Amino acid sequence: YRKLYCYQKAEIIYDGTVYFTNRFYHKYDRTVGQMVQAARSGKQNITEGSMVSGTSREFEIKLTNVARASLEELKNDYEDFLRTNKLPIWDRNHRLVARLREINKSVPNPTYETFKKAIEHESPEICANTMITLIHICTYLLKNLLKKQEIEFLKSGGLRQKMTKARIDERNKRK
């Protein structure tokens, strides 16, 4: 799972969220816990889904969907931050969104350090929009992973389907 690009992005998002919440929220604000937990859930459900894939393709798909939903929830928190602070939410055509995507594609195995300048920028607008952009990238990767998982499930089924097929095959051999 550590080699999955979506996991690598989710790890950057988690670390960036910890940084962001420590910087822009009071430590006792409930939003801090909610944002950090959503970021953690995104990362951890990718891990758990990957680990369970050998025994349950169905559960793998469910956990990947949970990861995606958690990151969408986190994206809404960043958008709320921008809106309540009267800062713009960048659209996909914003020049800095394009630059972040370009960096993401051009740097092999990007890490937190790759995006640190933007994540830790002095402008809260740049920080929050950078996190939103990284979440968009990660949820796009998760969407593609889900498509692959669903194709694999339809092609070969899960453990339950394989066990049923094995039992039927065994019965047919005895006849």
Side-chain angles (χ1 to χ4, degrees):
Y1 64 89
R2 291 186 189 276
K3 292 182 181 179
L4 292 170
Y5 292 133
C6 59
Y7 176 83
Q8 294 168 5
K9 293 297 172 287
E11 190 171 65
I12 295 167
I13 291 164
Y14 175 79
D15 294 348
T17 298
V18 169
Y19 174 83
F20 186 90
T21 56
N22 284 336
R23 181 170 168 202
F24 294 108
Y25 290 97
H26 188 274
K27 68 180 178 178
Y28 297 113
D29 188 328
R30 286 185 58 205
T31 306
V32 172
Q34 290 170 332
M35 288 179 74
V36 171
Q37 281 308 106
R40 182 182 183 282
S41 178
K43 182 173 81 72
Q44 296 304 99
N45 279 292
I46 295 168
T47 301
E48 192 174 347
S50 180
M51 298 308 292
V52 78
S53 67
T55 56
S56 176
R57 290 266 179 211
E58 184 181 350
F59 206 59
E60 174 189 31
I61 291 167
K62 287 179 182 177
L63 288 167
T64 303
N65 268 314
V66 171
R68 190 171 165 207
S70 294
L71 293 173
E72 284 294 330
E73 176 187 341
L74 179 62
K75 180 180 72 108
N76 286 339
D77 287 328
Y78 281 108
E79 290 172 348
D80 289 346
F81 173 85
L82 289 166
R83 190 185 66 258
T84 59
N85 286 285
K86 298 183 180 12
L87 297 169
I89 299 170
W90 300 342
D91 68 18
R92 63 185 330 205
N93 299 316
H94 191 281
R95 66 180 180 80
L96 294 176
V97 170
R99 179 67 182 131
L100 287 166
R101 287 185 171 152
E102 179 186 317
I103 291 168
N104 183 61
K105 287 179 183 177
S106 64
V107 175
N109 301 316
T111 64
Y112 183 88
E113 288 299 314
T114 307
F115 301 101
K116 183 177 181 176
K117 187 175 176 183
I119 293 170
E120 298 183 9
H121 197 277
E122 67 183 40
S123 163
E125 175 188 338
I126 292 175
C127 299
N129 277 295
T130 295
M131 295 305 298
I132 290 170
T133 301
L134 290 171
I135 292 168
H136 279 296
I137 291 167
C138 190
T139 55
Y140 171 80
L141 293 169
L142 284 168
K143 185 175 89 174
N144 288 338
L145 178 61
L146 278 164
K147 284 180 190 173
K148 288 178 185 174
Q149 290 170 342
E150 289 165 0
I151 289 167
E152 185 61 34
F153 179 76
L154 292 173
K155 188 171 92 180
S156 59
L159 182 63
R160 194 176 331 145
Q161 289 81 6
K162 289 176 185 176
M163 290 172 71
T164 300
K165 183 184 179 322
R167 282 193 304 273
I168 292 169
D169 290 347
E170 185 60 32
R171 271 190 232 136
N172 289 340
K173 282 182 194 175
R174 291 183 194 158
K175 290 181 180 178

